[in-house]
Amino acid sequence: MLPLSFARCYFESVVGSAVKMAPVHFTELRADDLRTMARFPDSAQRTPVPDPSSELSYLVGDLVARKLGGGRAMESASRERPLGTCRFSMIGAGFSYVADRPTSDPESPEPLYEPLLMFGAVLELEDYTLIPEHTDSYKDLCWTAPADYAEGVRTKRIESFNPKFLDLADEADSDRVTVCARGLCLQTTNKVIADLAAIGDTEGAAV
């Protein structure tokens, strides 16, 4: 989640390189609907991770270290010996499901949504094993084939991502799993993957 002032400046700094732009009005969007505002070419310059001179590389490196358990790998990486490369793919906008608000009818809670501007990027790792299966932020991490991922987003059935997620759905954090399956984060990644597939760039890839 980025501060709005930062996101606005960031959008203005990269939108000039977009190959496709489309205005988006939130009044036209339904819940759980992600609209592409800008799309960037697959030939866009790849930036090494880490690279302190690149805003995107900085954000990607922060996520890898802080959320995905790659802190030690980030410490030893450099522009000369990077973990991989990153580039922008698209920017989208939409309303994302947050939670249910109780109503007078316990069987009919009111879903709550928030408007979001989503930045979609591609991170290509030199060694995918640097991301562990368990981190402080995420109980279970796994790699999923793009086709299985797309099916999970379409159906909102988490077992399509990986069968072990069925066990998570039966545990105490099932609400969190359900929220993630209905959010715009997964849809953003799905649009990025669809763009890669359109140029034949998903062979051997994993999400």
Side-chain angles (χ1 to χ4, degrees):
M1 299 292 288
L2 304 177
L4 182 59
S5 57
F6 184 87
R8 182 178 294 112
C9 293
Y10 205 21
F11 180 87
E12 293 173 352
S13 70
V14 300
V15 73
S17 60
V19 294
K20 183 178 180 181
M21 291 283 294
V24 173
H25 301 279
F26 278 104
T27 54
E28 301 173 352
L29 300 182
R30 67 179 190 276
D32 294 329
D33 181 21
L34 180 68
R35 297 284 184 89
T36 301
M37 299 176 60
R39 181 170 281 117
F40 300 88
D42 61 284
S43 59
Q45 181 179 356
R46 270 71 168 171
T47 302
V49 179
D51 182 352
S53 67
S54 164
E55 298 93 336
L56 178 61
S57 179
Y58 175 84
L59 290 173
V60 169
D62 176 68
L63 288 173
V64 169
R66 183 169 52 86
K67 303 289 285 185
L68 298 179
R72 186 170 298 178
M74 281 294 298
E75 284 289 335
S76 59
S78 65
R79 277 185 290 189
E80 291 70 31
R81 299 182 61 185
L83 299 183
T85 62
C86 62
R87 67 173 177 85
F88 264 116
S89 178
M90 55 84 69
I91 299 176
F95 287 94
S96 185
Y97 171 79
V98 179
D100 285 334
R101 178 164 54 193
T103 64
S104 57
D105 181 0
E107 299 298 322
S108 300
E110 178 187 1
L112 300 178
Y113 298 87
E114 64 177 342
L116 291 177
L117 188 67
M118 305 295 295
F119 291 83
V122 177
L123 168 62
E124 296 174 296
L125 293 173
E126 296 291 340
D127 179 11
Y128 71 91
T129 63
L130 69 88
I131 297 179
E133 292 185 5
H134 308 281
T135 69
D136 292 337
S137 297
Y138 298 105
K139 184 175 181 180
D140 285 273
L141 293 170
C142 66
W143 294 102
T144 301
D148 294 337
Y149 185 88
E151 178 67 10
V153 174
R154 185 184 69 81
T155 62
K156 294 183 171 56
R157 296 181 62 87
I158 57 176
E159 66 269 25
S160 296
F161 303 134
N162 192 291
K164 72 179 181 180
F165 288 142
L166 278 178
D167 297 330
L168 286 179
D170 293 332
E171 297 178 4
D173 58 356
S174 60
D175 288 342
R176 186 182 307 172
V177 174
T178 300
V179 168
C180 289
R182 295 175 61 181
L184 290 183
C185 293
L186 300 186
Q187 292 187 46
T188 300
T189 303
N190 195 44
K191 284 185 178 292
V192 171
I193 293 172
D195 287 345
L196 290 175
I199 60 173
D201 198 21
T202 57
E203 184 177 353
V207 182

